[in-house]
Amino acid sequence: KLSKRLETVAKFVPQDAIVADIGSDHAYLPCYLVHNNIAKSAIAGEVVKGPYDSACHEVQKEQLTNKITVRLADGLAAIQPGDEVTAITIAGMGGPLITSILEKHPLALEGVERLILQPNIHAKVIREWALQNSWKIIDEVILLEDEKIYEILVLERGEMNLSELEKLLGPVLKQQHSDVFHSKWTREVEQWGHVREALQKAEQTPEILAKSDELANLIEAVGEV
Ligand code: SAM
């Protein structure tokens, strides 16, 4: 059984997609997608030998070697010309690692219609990358599992406008304002408050003052939401 987190990622994979799951680890997500007839076929990409071996093992055990290709490769280098990948999933990493993977092999994105990205932290950098690279957010989910909060961003090609606050909070998540969203940002605002108190006790250099002001602005803007 898939985790609630990966099951939610799977929900956004279009019917009959050809999927590349990058950083696939045990290849649980591609196996689920093919078993459930959501994906026609899939590529499971892994850059580390141990998880790559786990992925190969899982795909063999599930008897899906005819539909899932496991490749040992860095990021989107797992996608080869002719694969005709239509959707990419990247889950369980930080936002900066996800964006660096997307930036490193831009040609691999040709023909890809949808990206389903699940950053564990710093979703903001993904929203900034999307803005700069003509991808738009078509949906977002925030969810709680095992006391951890995860965000999922669904992107398709197109333009969008995002305010600074929407880049941080997520345009859809801000609008929905779920309980999980509320508790995440309440906690963040509290932490910024503690940092700001500590800064106010430190020597008031221009850098410290600037940082303290920046935090005060964030606390006010996010606190209001
Ligand atoms: N995607 C799975 C999930 O969400 O449960 C596994 C997440 S696991 C925490 C992250 C995986 O990404 C690791 O197996 C790691 O080896 C792999 N990874 C990290 N950087 C990568 C890269 N540049 N290319 C391919 N895989 C990468």
Side-chain angles (χ1 to χ4, degrees):
K1 169 117 173 57
L2 219 51
S3 62
K4 176 169 141 192
R5 174 181 62 84
L6 286 179
E7 210 176 311
T8 312
V9 170
K11 259 187 14 197
F12 290 101
V13 173
Q15 186 62 46
D16 295 327
I18 300 176
V19 179
D21 182 43
I22 306 299
S24 198
D25 197 354
H26 290 82
Y28 291 145
L29 180 59
C31 288
Y32 175 92
L33 290 170
V34 172
H35 268 319
N36 288 279
N37 296 315
I38 299 167
K40 273 203 290 207
S41 62
I43 289 153
E46 250 300 332
V47 74
V48 177
K49 185 73 168 64
Y52 164 80
D53 289 340
S54 307
C56 293
H57 179 81
E58 186 70 17
V59 170
Q60 273 162 14
K61 193 185 89 189
E62 295 297 317
Q63 299 186 320
L64 292 174
T65 50
N66 57 335
K67 297 255 176 93
I68 301 177
T69 309
V70 185
R71 293 197 183 122
L72 185 63
D74 177 18
L76 303 186
I79 301 173
Q80 295 177 358
D83 283 340
E84 297 186 348
V85 167
T86 60
I88 295 177
T89 53
I90 312 180
M93 303 173 208
L97 180 55
I98 293 177
T99 39
S100 75
I101 287 174
L102 293 168
E103 275 168 356
K104 200 163 175 188
H105 301 95
L107 288 182
L109 290 174
E110 262 179 31
V112 175
E113 291 159 12
R114 184 177 284 198
L115 305 174
I116 304 130
L117 310 173
Q118 186 271 297
N120 292 340
I121 51 166
H122 299 313
K124 184 182 180 191
V125 294
I126 297 182
R127 296 192 186 98
E128 287 169 340
W129 174 87
L131 262 177
Q132 286 158 12
N133 291 277
S134 298
W135 289 87
K136 66 168 188 272
I137 295 172
I138 62 155
D139 213 339
E140 291 178 315
V141 176
I142 188 164
L143 65 101
L144 179 69
E145 185 172 54
D146 299 333
E147 287 167 42
K148 290 198 196 90
I149 291 177
Y150 301 103
E151 292 184 22
I152 295 167
L153 280 65
V154 186
L155 309 181
E156 284 189 357
R157 294 186 190 268
E159 306 296 329
M160 63 177 169
N161 286 310
L162 292 184
S163 66
E164 279 307 309
L165 205 53
E166 284 172 330
K167 285 182 201 165
L168 182 66
L169 305 179
V172 180
L173 301 179
K174 176 173 175 280
Q175 188 71 34
Q176 287 172 344
H177 206 112
S178 67
D179 291 346
V180 180
F181 173 89
H182 190 88
S183 60
K184 170 178 168 130
W185 292 106
T186 305
R187 214 180 299 166
E188 293 279 345
V189 168
E190 271 170 22
Q191 275 168 7
W192 292 332
H194 294 317
V195 175
R196 189 155 181 261
E197 276 169 31
L199 289 180
Q200 280 167 337
K201 287 185 193 136
E203 193 194 336
Q204 300 297 295
T205 63
E207 292 80 22
I208 296 273
L209 282 171
K211 186 73 201 161
S212 185
D213 279 352
E214 190 190 318
L215 279 173
N217 290 336
L218 261 179
I219 291 167
E220 195 189 330
V222 176
E224 253 173 42
V225 174

